[in-house]
Amino acid sequence: FLFFVFYRALIFPLLIREGKPTPFFTFVLALLFCVFNGYLQGRSLTTYATYPPGWLGDSRFITGFLGWLIGMAINIHSDHILRNLRKPGETGYKIPRGGMFEYVSGANFFGEILEWFGFALACCTIESFAFALCTLFILGSRARQHHK
């Protein structure tokens, strides 16, 4: 979880060349969601979640961790493809090619959804599952909009 937050908050913004401006209200809502979710996940995992001995070898944890890892790899690779769609100064819409974009039109969204469902399986907490569902609904609607 912390690795993703570190990547998304510190590394990803440095990689973006130019982007569309984000409305302030959207920024505030996203910030509040991330702060609340970060607190909820952290509190859940450090205070309430209990795991039996050998949990790191349990098939649920291993499958969830692999889902998280594969989802994150898809997400990072898809972001790389999207960042390099246009040459500097070029505008207009382009259809991404390569990677998971050969199979789904919103590969970056698909990767992040897979990532958080893997996280939920590895953690087996109601809070991580709620976050995965929120991710599915929020990014799923954005993916549908981008596909259209």
Side-chain angles (χ1 to χ4, degrees):
F1 182 80
L2 292 176
F3 181 78
F4 174 82
V5 170
F6 176 78
Y7 168 76
R8 186 59 79 193
L10 300 176
I11 296 171
F12 180 75
L14 297 174
L15 297 173
I16 298 173
R17 283 190 229 154
E18 294 177 28
K20 297 176 185 173
T22 301
F24 183 72
F25 184 69
T26 303
F27 166 76
V28 169
L29 286 178
L31 178 67
L32 289 174
F33 176 82
C34 290
V35 168
F36 176 73
N37 181 57
Y39 172 78
L40 189 65
Q41 299 305 321
R43 179 80 175 186
S44 166
L45 292 172
T46 60
T47 305
Y48 301 111
T50 57
Y51 299 100
W55 177 251
L56 298 181
D58 187 280
S59 61
R60 292 169 292 178
F61 178 81
I62 293 170
T63 303
F65 178 75
L66 289 175
W68 174 84
L69 193 62
I70 291 167
M72 185 160 195
I74 291 169
N75 191 2
I76 290 172
H77 184 251
S78 300
D79 285 344
H80 171 75
I81 290 171
L82 289 172
R83 273 194 313 275
N84 293 297
L85 269 179
R86 294 179 204 84
K87 295 178 177 114
E90 192 175 33
T91 60
Y93 184 79
K94 290 194 173 189
I95 297 175
R97 301 277 184 224
M100 284 300 293
F101 285 108
E102 297 300 318
Y103 304 100
V104 293
S105 58
N108 52 329
F109 301 128
F110 171 76
E112 193 158 340
I113 291 167
L114 176 60
E115 194 175 339
W116 296 120
F117 272 95
F119 177 78
L121 182 59
C123 295
C124 284
T125 65
I126 193 72
E127 294 85 0
S128 60
F129 182 66
F131 178 43
L133 281 180
C134 285
T135 301
L136 174 64
F137 293 134
I138 292 167
L139 295 186
S141 67
R142 287 185 64 199
R144 195 169 135 230
Q145 182 184 26
H146 284 230
H147 181 77
K148 286 182 181 181

